[in-house]
Every structure is written in C-alpha cells, then in structure tokens.
Amino acid sequence: MTGGADVTSPALTAAESRWLSSRRSRQETFTDLYCFAHAGGSAGEFMRWSDGLPGVKLWAVRMPGRAPRESEPPYTRMTELVADLVEQIDFSRRDFAFFGHSLGGLVAFEVTRALRKAGRKLPSRLLISSMQPPPITTTKGASRLSSEGLLAEIEGRWGALPQEIHDDPELKEIVLGYLRSDAEIADTYEYVAEEPLPVPITAFVGSEENRAQLDWQTHTTAGLDAHVLKGGHFYFRDGEQQRELIRLIGRATSADA
C-alpha cells in the first residue's frame, strides 16, 4: 500500500501488498473498488481517481512484469492470472466492486466468475469499459507479430502511444514487452459459457468506438446500465470525460453500498 496505513480498511497480507496499490484515504470509506488496467497499462492510471470517489477505497491491481514488479515474469494466460488473483487476494473484507478497462474488463469478468465457482463473495457491481463481451470475435494473433507489427496493430486499434515511447528505444522495448504478454493473454483466451452472473453490470464505451462493447446483458441477471462518453478508446484521459466517468462510478458504487 502506498501513502501509509489506512484506518478505514483492513491491512493487506504480504501477498496482497504485491498485487494492490492505494492512497491513504482522507475520510472514512465504506466500499472497495478494485481496478484492472488495459493491455500494457499500469496501476498508476487509476490512482488519481481516488479523491473523486468519496466513501470508496480504490485499489489498483499491479501486474507482474511491470513497475514495481518488473523482476517478475508476466502472465500470458488468463486462467493462470485469474487463479492467482482469486487465491492471493481476499476481495471480500467488505462490500466491493470491480472496474476494468479493455483487457482489464475481461479480467474483472473472469475473476468474478472464478469467485462464484469458489463459493466466495461476489462484487456488488461489475464496471466494464471498452471491452467486447465474450465470446470474443475480434482477430487474434497480435502477440506473434514483430515489434513494429505489434506497435502498428496496437496504435491502429486504440490510438498512438505517447511520443516519448517512440523516441526512447529502451522504453519502447519495455512497453512492447508489456503489450506482447497482455496480447498473448487475449490471443489464448477461451471463453467457456456459464450461467449469467447475479451481479449488475455497468458498461462504458467511447463515442468513437463500437457500441457493441456495451452489449453485456447476456452475462447478467441483475441488470445492465450503459454509458457512452465522448472520445476514443482512452476517452477517460480527457479531463472532462474522466470527471464524468468518476461521477458515474461513484453513483454506481454508492447505490450498491
């Protein structure tokens, strides 16, 4: 945990401390929000959201293979990633919800299904952003492309990476390593049909994206809310849209608290 001890939520175990990052809460919190990043993304993407979610303790999930866990091998299979998340993190200390963007949304979905199989407490809500609901029909094989081919594929689908990555060969190679391992998770993912989840889903998508990414209704028996925010795949990097997303997340998690 970053920012020191937090009296409003239970302390983490050593294993959980490797996986989770948070900020010290300035006020009492009542529910936990676990955030799963997109392919190649980092936990830091979400940390700035904390102050805009009163009553919510935000936990960003830190993946092996990237800072501060760059010495650990990255996951390349969804089944192994999900199994370790469920085994090593106790999500159920109090009410909680999951938010995931893109590949992170798929991880959040599969972790929820794994919790159900294990007879564990389920999140009060799944918040899924810019992710096609399974079964996945998009073309696979990105993980087998050359470095330049992978970069072109990523930027063609989701927009250009920051210029500083292109200008720094060492940084570029590091980022491509993250992207390749996450692309392999997506390439090898096999959806297994199960009963819909008894968990409400809130789906988000950028206005420039395929609206089919909102069609999660077949995966829940507890209702679906759908929201379109202005922009592309990373719509939440725009200040105004980020504030709107945080407002919607806060409303959804408050309603479930």
Side-chain angles (χ1 to χ4, degrees), residues 232-244:
H233 190 66
F234 292 108
Y235 61 86
F236 55 80
R237 289 176 176 169
D238 172 83
E240 181 178 349
Q241 299 309 305
Q242 183 178 107
R243 288 188 291 273
E244 176 63 6

Side-chain angles (χ1 to χ4, degrees), residues 3-56:
D6 188 333
V7 298
T8 67
S9 58
L12 301 182
T13 66
E16 289 172 327
S17 295
R18 292 169 48 243
W19 281 104
L20 300 173
S21 179
S22 71
R23 286 181 176 175
R24 182 180 176 85
S25 298
R26 299 178 182 178
Q27 55 189 325
E28 188 174 4
T29 61
F30 305 95
T31 190
D32 293 316
L33 177 65
Y34 296 93
C35 296
F36 299 84
H38 54 277
S42 68
E45 184 87 47
F46 306 110
M47 299 309 299
R48 68 198 72 174
W49 299 3
S50 298
D51 292 341
L53 292 167
V56 175

